[in-house]
Amino acid sequence: MNRIVIMVFTYLAVTGRSTLGRLRAGRNFINHHSLMSFSSAIDSNFFTVGITGSSGLLGSSLIDELSNADATVNGKPIRIVKLIRANDLGTDTLSEERITSLPWNPSSATPEDVIDPKSLEQMDAIVHLAGENVATGLGPLGFLGIRPWTDKKKDEIMKSRVGPTEKLAKAIAASRTPTSFLSASGVGVYGTDFFGGNEVPAADESMNVSAVGGFLAEVSRKWEAATEGAAGNNNRIVNCRMGVVLSKKGGALQKLFPIFFLGGGGDVGSGKQYFTFISARDAARALVHTLSTPSLEGPVNFCAPEPCTNSEFTKSFGKVLSRPTIIPLPSFAVSLLFGEMGEEMLLGGVRAIPKKLAESGFKFLHPIIETACQSAVDETI
C-alpha cells in the first residue's frame, strides 16, 4: 500500500541550469536573432512584453530567458511586465523599470477595466499563461489529485481559461495600437489515442481537431476560440499548444525527481502511450522566438521534435539520475485512484511535432527526451 501511495504522488505529476555551456547557448539564441514584431504606436524606450501567470513554471522560465539575455527589439531593451490579478486596477501605470508589474482584472465587465488602456498601448506583446491546474483537486487535500475531476473542478478549469482569455482579447482588440497576443493552450487538443505500435501519425498544427473527444481537447478548443476576440487592428494571435514542460522546479518533474531519485520510478500502464514534452529552457526560448517571428500565428506546437513513449521517458529519466526504474503503476490502479483525469492524462498518449517552429528556423537545445531530462536536472528554471 505504501508503494501505491508513493506512486500516486509520482504519476500524478507526470500528467499534469543546464551546464554553463547550455545556458549560454540558450541566451545566444536571443542575442543572434534580432527581435522583430509589431511596434507600438506609442513612443517608448522599451519593447514591452506583458505576462500573465508570471509566477508559474512557464512564466518564470520566460522571465529568466528574457531578463538574462542582452536582447533588444528595434534597438530597444525588453521591458517585462508581470500582469497580476486584482479586483481593482487602481491608478497604477507602467514604470520605466526593466521588470515591473501591473494589475489586470479578468473579472471586469468592460475592456477598459481589464487592463489600463494607456499601459496596454505601450505593450508590444502579451503572453497569456494563466490557468487553473488540471492535475489537482479541490479542498485541503486537492494536491494529492485523487479522482480530481469533479464537475466543480472541471468547471473551474474551463472558466479559468476561457473567461479571462475572452476579456483580455477584447481589451487588446479595443486598444489603439497593435499587439502580438500569445496565449497558452495544450497538445491535449489532439486527443489521447497515440500509442507506440498503433501507426497513428504524429499530429502537427494542420490536424483537424474540431471533433476530437476528451475533456482536455474540449478545454483547449474553447481556450483557443476565446483568443479570436483579439482579431483585427493588425493584432497577431498565436495559440501556444504546450507539451509537458520539464523542470525540477515545477510541473511534472518537481514531484517526480525525489521519487525517481529514491528508485521508485516505473512505467505507467502499458508504457506505450506517447509523451509529448519540451524542456523549460526550450519552451522559454520558443516563446521568445515566436515573439520575434511575425510569420508565426494561429496554432503552434511547443514540443520537442522527438516525442517519446512513457516507457522511454521513464528509462531516460532513470538514466539521467542513475537510478533503477522497475516499479510500475498498473492501469487498473490509475483508473481507480485518478478516474477520468488518470485515463486521459496518465493512460492516454499524445504524439505531436513542432512543424511550424521547425519551419520558422527554431533550433532546439534539447530535441530528445534524455537531453530534456538532463536539462531539467541541471537548469535553475
Side-chain angles (χ1 to χ4, degrees), residues 242-263:
M242 291 287 171
V244 177
V245 179
L246 299 183
S247 166
K248 70 175 185 290
K249 295 292 185 179
L253 292 194
Q254 184 180 43
K255 297 177 183 177
L256 277 174
F257 185 88
I259 303 300
F260 270 66
F261 189 80
L262 294 173

Side-chain angles (χ1 to χ4, degrees), residues 83-106:
L83 296 175
I84 310 299
R85 285 175 180 261
N87 294 324
D88 186 355
L89 299 185
T91 58
D92 291 353
T93 57
L94 289 184
S95 73
E96 294 296 302
E97 298 176 11
R98 175 78 186 278
I99 301 179
T100 185
S101 62
L102 189 75
W104 76 295
N105 182 7

Side-chain angles (χ1 to χ4, degrees), residues 66-181:
L66 290 172
S67 61
N68 284 326
D70 185 20
T72 60
V73 180
N74 297 331
K76 298 178 180 180
I78 296 174
R79 173 170 54 179
I80 300 164
V81 182
K82 299 179 181 180
L83 296 175
I84 310 299
R85 285 175 180 261
N87 294 324
D88 186 355
L89 299 185
T91 58
D92 291 353
T93 57
L94 289 184
S95 73
E96 294 296 302
E97 298 176 11
R98 175 78 186 278
I99 301 179
T100 185
S101 62
L102 189 75
W104 76 295
N105 182 7
S107 300
S108 174
T110 57
E112 61 269 19
D113 291 328
V114 173
I115 187 170
D116 175 59
K118 291 184 179 179
S119 297
L120 181 57
E121 289 173 1
Q122 298 179 54
M123 294 187 195
D124 299 274
I126 289 182
V127 183
H128 180 41
L129 305 174
E132 176 74 13
N133 192 323
V134 299
T136 59
L138 301 175
L141 298 179
F143 69 94
L144 292 175
I146 304 300
R147 304 185 72 86
W149 283 2
T150 61
D151 289 343
K152 183 177 180 181
K153 173 66 176 184
K154 291 168 72 172
D155 187 56
E156 288 194 11
I157 290 171
M158 186 72 76
K159 286 182 177 179
S160 73
R161 286 160 171 75
V162 176
T165 303
E166 287 178 339
K167 298 293 180 64
L168 196 53
K170 290 179 180 179
I172 290 171
S175 180
R176 295 188 302 166
T177 57
T179 305
S180 289
F181 185 30

